[in-house]
Amino acid sequence: MRVLVKRSSAVQEFEVPRHPSQTVLDVVTYIQRKLDPTLAYRYACRVGMCGSCAMTVNGVPRWTCRTHVDNVAGNDELQIGPLKNLPLIRDLVTDMSEFFDKWARAQGRFQGGRTKHDDFEKVSPDSPDRKAADAGIECIGCAVCYSACNVVAANPDYLGPAALNRAWTLVKDARSVDAIDKLRAVAGDAGCHACHTHMDCTERCPKHISPTAAIAGLKRATAKAALKGEL
Amino acid sequence: MTQTVLWLAQRVTAAILAVCVVVHLATIIYAVQGGLTAAEILGRTRGNTAWLVFYAVFVAAAAIHAPIGLRAVLGEWLKWRGIWREVFLVFFAYTLLWFGLQAVIGVFG
């Protein structure tokens, strides 16, 4: 199989043997271990949990550890590059700082009101709010959605699908005590109102989360808060 | 807060425009049956308060809706953000409103 790897300097071509159930991460690892040890890339868990191995594969952002070559290399060719919309460090490694800083800017940390002396909050798994939160909490922070997002490309200040999805799961969390602060943080040109509902994030999310639905929820919630004069 | 209100205004005016455009298109299709003349149009609109109100609402909704959409286009395509973009868009909104209402009053009176 012909593999074209977009490196910092230029595109480099490699010939990699095909194997059954081979993943794109297997291919990159083969290149780094057998063909060119200077190739920089990032991975950790290899099983779709850590969110560190995402790359652009044949033009599409994907988690490489769970992307089978058979499913993406139609004409026995792979083009592998770093994620888009993120600063490049080297070869296939991008700088994720801004991506995670935006989670902080969207107030993506949980703030509860109870201490260890209090009893557990009783939250019904069937409540609409809990279901809405549950729909988004499996995010692994791989930045595939961020890389796929056209709005991020056009507006670098935009918080992006993952950070907004995170904020939405916390707004819908019954234990959260600062939902209104999160709505204030995500309203506006850099936040949920910048989303054009292209749904690239939802199409590409390897965990089948719909950040688009989360962002639509934030738009509704901020609108309600604005009408009540709370925003 | 401001951008949330702008978003809300754009959605509300979009709903109004959806109805207005359907009524407008249906009227066009009805009106062109058997030829179309200025006299026929004016005969329908002159002194008709219902059409005056309808088209005044149509113009007002368009004057609110279009600049908010243009705001995003200017920001994303031309990287034009900041106070002068807002000043331009307010001017653009009033221009749409002015010319639109001139036309509405023109076919009413």
Side-chain angles (χ1 to χ4, degrees):
Chain A
M1 167 177 52
R2 197 164 84 111
V3 182
L4 300 169
V5 179
K6 191 178 177 196
R7 304 195 60 176
S8 306
S9 48
V11 175
Q12 194 174 352
E13 188 174 331
F14 299 98
E15 197 61 36
V16 178
R18 289 279 290 264
H19 300 292
S21 300
Q22 187 179 25
T23 67
V24 175
L25 184 63
D26 292 335
V27 170
V28 177
T29 301
Y30 179 90
I31 292 171
Q32 202 262 349
R33 291 190 180 167
K34 307 274 187 190
L35 305 177
D36 189 341
T38 66
L39 178 67
Y41 69 111
R42 187 192 283 130
Y43 77 98
C45 76
R46 299 172 292 117
V47 289
M49 288 170 66
C50 73
S52 60
C53 71
M55 298 168 201
T56 304
V57 182
N58 286 357
V60 173
R62 294 184 183 279
W63 54 354
T64 56
C65 69
R66 299 206 47 190
T67 300
H68 282 237
V69 173
D70 289 344
N71 294 332
V72 290
N75 52 357
D76 220 33
E77 181 180 299
L78 273 183
Q79 294 177 25
I80 303 173
L83 284 180
K84 294 169 188 163
N85 296 339
L86 291 162
L88 186 68
I89 294 176
R90 190 159 80 91
D91 295 341
L92 301 172
V93 182
T94 53
D95 183 354
M96 308 274 282
S97 312
E98 177 71 358
F99 173 70
F100 287 115
D101 285 349
K102 286 179 175 177
W103 286 50
R105 244 177 277 158
Q107 300 215 0
R109 47 119 185 83
F110 173 73
Q111 182 65 53
R114 299 193 176 210
T115 68
K116 62 183 178 182
H117 305 297
D118 299 315
D119 195 6
F120 290 113
E121 176 117 14
K122 307 251 179 330
V123 181
S124 166
D126 296 325
S127 67
D129 278 358
R130 193 58 240 168
K131 282 183 175 172
D134 281 344
I137 54 170
E138 296 294 338
C139 174
I140 56 173
C142 64
V144 160
C145 59
Y146 190 85
S147 176
C149 178
N150 287 317
V151 181
V152 174
N155 179 3
D157 291 336
Y158 178 48
L159 294 170
L164 292 171
N165 176 70
R166 171 68 179 163
W168 175 243
T169 61
L170 294 171
V171 165
K172 289 277 115 181
D173 193 324
R175 304 162 302 160
S176 190
V177 294
D178 60 350
I180 194 67
D181 295 330
K182 298 191 193 310
L183 291 181
R184 286 194 192 109
V186 301
D189 287 344
C192 62
H193 296 107
C195 172
H196 294 316
T197 323
H198 291 163
M199 301 186 75
D200 293 309
C201 55
T202 302
E203 187 178 349
R204 297 296 170 214
C205 175
K207 299 291 288 182
H208 304 297
I209 294 169
S210 175
T212 313
I215 294 166
L218 288 173
K219 285 175 177 172
R220 286 194 301 274
T222 49
K224 277 182 196 161
L227 288 174
K228 285 184 196 163
E230 294 171 351
L231 206 59
Chain B
M1 176 69 184
T2 314
Q3 284 142 18
T4 307
V5 172
L6 286 179
W7 179 82
L8 206 52
Q10 200 186 24
R11 290 305 181 277
V12 170
T13 52
I16 294 168
L17 285 170
V19 176
C20 290
V21 168
V22 168
V23 172
H24 183 63
L25 289 176
T27 308
I28 290 173
I29 291 165
Y30 168 76
V32 296
Q33 308 293 319
L36 184 67
T37 63
E40 189 201 334
I41 296 170
L42 291 173
R44 191 166 37 247
T45 58
R46 280 246 161 97
N48 190 324
T49 316
W51 281 121
L52 175 78
V53 171
F54 172 77
Y55 277 108
V57 169
F58 198 160
V59 165
I64 294 168
H65 187 85
I68 301 172
L70 185 61
R71 187 173 176 276
V73 174
L74 293 175
E76 290 183 15
W77 289 35
L78 302 183
K79 311 294 173 204
W80 189 15
R81 300 183 176 95
I83 188 68
W84 287 109
R85 175 182 64 168
E86 320 298 7
V87 170
F88 167 77
L89 289 167
V90 169
F91 175 76
F92 179 63
Y94 277 109
T95 306
L96 284 181
L97 192 66
W98 172 255
F99 283 114
L101 289 180
Q102 287 290 314
V104 173
I105 292 164
V107 294
F108 175 75

